[in-house]
Amino acid sequence: MEQKAGMPPTVERFVCPGKGNGLRATARISRGQLVTSAEPLASCVSGKRAREVCHHCFTRQETLLRCSQCKMARYCNAACQKQAWSGHKRECKCLRRLLPRIPTDSVRLAARLRFALLNPPKTVGNELYTLEEHESNLNLMSEQKKQGLSQLASMLELYVQQEEDSDLTQEVTSALPPSCRDPLSLIAKVTCNCFTISDGELQEVGVGLYSSLSLLNHDCRPNCVMVFEGERLQLRAVQDICPEDELTISYIETLSLTEERQTQLQEQYHFVCHCQRCSSKKEEGFMLSGEEEKWQQLKVALPRLEGLKTESNWPALLESCSNLLSAAGAELPDENLYKLRVTDMALDAAVQLGQWEEALRYGMKTLPAYRLFYPDPHPVHGVQLMRVGKLQHYLEHLEDALDTFKEAFTIMRMTHGDGHPLTSDLRMKMEECCLEMSGRH
């Protein structure tokens, strides 16, 4: 059994029957407790967020300074740019060479990983799980998926070629673990083991590789959740955990049908989930409640609505959602999964268009379903309550806003912890409500 300085003494690596490596508790961990936190071995801002997020601290900003050389990296200020330079220096040359093309996130992350291994931080030896041990799952992939990864591997070679054409080639090759010297293997390891880095509102801002935390296995009702502060990952318990219990997270969005979850896990992570939630399917009755004919129309429309959302075509999205929900009628329960997804998109569109009353109406409709489908504290539920509370506050429904913020706070103290910026923001909102209410009397 391994126990090293990189992880707290409450956590150890073990071999989990039927799952391979995993992490488990060595002591009792209470719900809401921070299990561990970690900085990534390598990380990068998502290409689609490259213009709005600082490439050093991962903070979203209205205006950012742009790297004058590669024209891609952006920073809050000169201090962030200076601190980022040691990690950006090699990448900058590679990006300049490829302009105007920009490599995909996984290629940029794999390259940053290679560069990070040339100046390894002192703590790498403390990891419970080395890069060498990470699974690539190449043997489990379909030919089509392997072909897609081969194209990414070729792009990686082309991308790092100039930087490694220099006298560094030997240095790079010898510094890399043997199984990571092959670009295909490295790309496969990165795509199977990287985590999406999200901001306080749970919007994707980047991707990162967190060595020891790649050991965490999946469960569709996990006992831990991950939240981020910048690129620092925090793993928090959302259930009471006993010594020797396995620590689990969900690799995917848990608010979906068993069949959808199984398909996504099989395609993306190459395993079949046998968790209790998948075996019992007890929520399916709620998720598919109501007349099938009614919810099938919503299900069929979802890809088109997703397309409108991706294009940020908010007026068309709101109109489509509104028409679909009217056609489905009030008889279709709000807990129906497809009605919930369409209502959530209507909420997004109404917020984007500044139609606050309408946004609040849609937001309120989602809350009973969120309470039902997130029995444990979950960041998604906390953030949804916070959105609805902000709408109530803005529209001066102060008593309602305070109640909603309190419900969000109960969840987010567990999922984000007292010190997280989002929890502090929530505390401030509650104080504002109280002050405004006392000002009325």
Side-chain angles (χ1 to χ4, degrees):
M1 213 51 68
E2 291 191 43
Q3 185 55 63
K4 297 184 185 175
M7 287 297 249
T10 48
V11 176
E12 70 179 5
R13 175 178 169 169
F14 79 120
V15 175
C16 179
K19 289 188 189 175
N21 290 307
L23 288 178
R24 69 179 174 192
T26 57
R28 185 178 163 71
I29 298 172
S30 304
R31 193 167 83 137
Q33 195 176 320
L34 176 68
V35 180
T36 186
S37 64
E39 295 288 346
L41 188 54
S43 63
C44 69
V45 167
S46 301
K48 60 185 172 193
R49 296 275 172 259
R51 292 164 178 271
E52 54 203 77
V53 173
C54 173
H55 289 219
H56 175 64
C57 69
F58 284 68
T59 309
R60 205 183 280 269
Q61 299 279 9
E62 286 294 312
T63 52
L64 293 162
L65 300 176
R66 187 170 74 159
C67 171
S68 59
Q69 297 181 49
C70 68
K71 311 276 192 283
M72 184 190 174
R74 283 169 164 77
Y75 303 101
C76 297
N77 48 39
C80 275
Q81 186 163 10
K82 193 175 173 186
Q83 285 174 294
W85 181 241
S86 62
H88 178 57
K89 186 168 55 177
R90 291 196 166 105
E91 174 188 58
C92 192
K93 283 186 193 169
C94 299
L95 285 166
R96 285 198 315 252
R97 222 178 114 259
L98 273 195
L99 279 172
R101 286 180 300 166
I102 291 175
T104 64
D105 295 350
S106 51
V107 167
R108 282 173 42 239
L109 182 58
R112 285 186 73 103
L113 190 55
R114 288 179 76 128
F115 302 150
L117 289 165
L118 294 178
N119 332 317
K122 306 282 177 288
T123 56
V124 165
N126 299 332
E127 295 292 354
L128 291 186
Y129 196 45
T130 64
L131 191 58
E132 178 71 358
E133 294 174 286
H134 280 55
E135 296 287 345
S136 70
N137 289 325
L138 279 166
N139 55 329
L140 303 173
M141 287 179 198
S142 65
E143 276 312 308
Q144 192 183 358
K145 184 150 187 191
K146 264 193 221 165
Q147 215 168 352
L149 288 180
S150 298
Q151 289 173 343
L152 291 176
S154 305
M155 172 61 109
L156 175 63
E157 281 192 286
L158 180 71
Y159 179 54
V160 297
Q161 181 184 355
Q162 186 195 5
E163 184 55 16
E164 297 183 2
D165 274 347
S166 63
D167 55 358
L168 281 171
T169 311
Q170 204 49 49
E171 194 188 336
V172 170
T173 311
S174 56
L176 285 171
S179 68
C180 301
R181 290 172 196 165
D182 168 42
L184 180 60
S185 170
L186 185 60
I187 280 283
K189 283 180 185 233
V190 163
T191 52
C192 284
N193 293 287
C194 72
F195 289 123
T196 298
I197 300 171
S198 53
D199 64 9
E201 270 74 46
L202 305 181
Q203 300 301 308
E204 178 190 339
V205 290
V207 282
L209 197 76
Y210 298 80
S211 288
S212 293
L213 296 177
S214 299
L215 283 166
L216 288 161
N217 283 317
H218 166 87
D219 195 287
C220 296
R221 187 175 170 183
N223 56 18
C224 294
V225 293
M226 294 185 305
V227 293
F228 292 86
E229 209 172 319
E231 60 173 8
R232 188 170 187 78
L233 187 159
Q234 297 184 347
L235 184 73
R236 306 192 79 92
V238 290
Q239 296 171 14
D240 289 329
I241 299 168
C242 298
E244 303 211 350
D245 280 357
E246 182 177 15
L247 303 177
T248 56
I249 55 170
S250 178
Y251 293 174
I252 56 171
E253 169 53 70
T254 53
L255 186 50
S256 50
L257 295 165
T258 303
E259 192 184 339
E260 291 176 348
R261 297 196 309 271
Q262 291 279 4
T263 303
Q264 193 182 346
L265 290 166
Q266 185 74 58
E267 284 175 4
Q268 221 172 320
Y269 299 98
H270 316 286
F271 70 88
V272 176
C273 183
H274 297 294
C275 76
Q276 200 177 345
R277 190 174 160 210
C278 284
S279 309
S280 76
K281 295 191 178 183
K282 72 170 189 229
E283 298 155 336
E284 312 275 293
F286 288 112
M287 288 187 175
L288 298 179
S289 54
E291 258 181 78
E292 183 167 350
E293 201 179 317
K294 294 269 170 71
W295 57 253
Q296 272 294 352
Q297 292 171 343
L298 299 180
K299 182 182 179 180
V300 167
L302 276 167
R304 181 173 60 84
L305 300 178
E306 289 285 2
L308 292 172
K309 187 176 173 179
T310 305
E311 292 161 17
S312 302
N313 187 345
W314 306 114
L317 179 59
L318 186 56
E319 190 185 352
S320 292
C321 291
S322 173
N323 292 341
L324 281 160
L325 291 167
S326 299
E331 315 82 77
L332 189 63
D334 292 340
E335 289 79 20
N336 178 282
L337 181 66
Y338 301 110
K339 184 175 184 181
L340 181 60
R341 286 182 182 168
V342 174
T343 308
D344 252 333
M345 284 205 223
L347 165 62
D348 286 338
V351 166
Q352 292 291 338
L353 295 167
Q355 298 185 16
W356 311 121
E357 279 95 352
E358 200 168 350
L360 178 56
R361 189 166 57 80
Y362 288 125
M364 289 301 292
K365 277 189 165 305
T366 67
L367 293 184
Y370 273 69
R371 287 185 195 110
L372 176 67
F373 296 133
Y374 289 110
D376 300 313
H378 197 286
V380 169
H381 188 192
V383 167
Q384 186 79 346
L385 283 161
M386 199 165 167
R387 286 183 87 184
V388 171
K390 283 180 177 177
L391 289 166
Q392 290 168 326
H393 185 204
Y394 182 79
L395 294 168
E396 298 187 5
H397 306 177
L398 298 178
E399 286 83 357
D400 291 346
L402 185 58
D403 286 345
T404 307
F405 285 143
K406 281 179 177 172
E407 193 183 343
F409 190 68
T410 307
I411 292 171
M412 288 167 87
R413 286 189 78 171
M414 301 278 181
T415 58
H416 290 68
D418 275 329
H420 195 279
L422 211 59
T423 318
S424 308
D425 185 21
L426 196 47
R427 206 182 274 107
M428 212 158 62
K429 289 278 175 219
M430 283 155 54
E431 283 168 19
E432 280 173 36
C433 282
C434 292
L435 282 170
E436 287 165 34
M437 280 158 68
S438 65
R440 276 183 176 183
H441 302 312

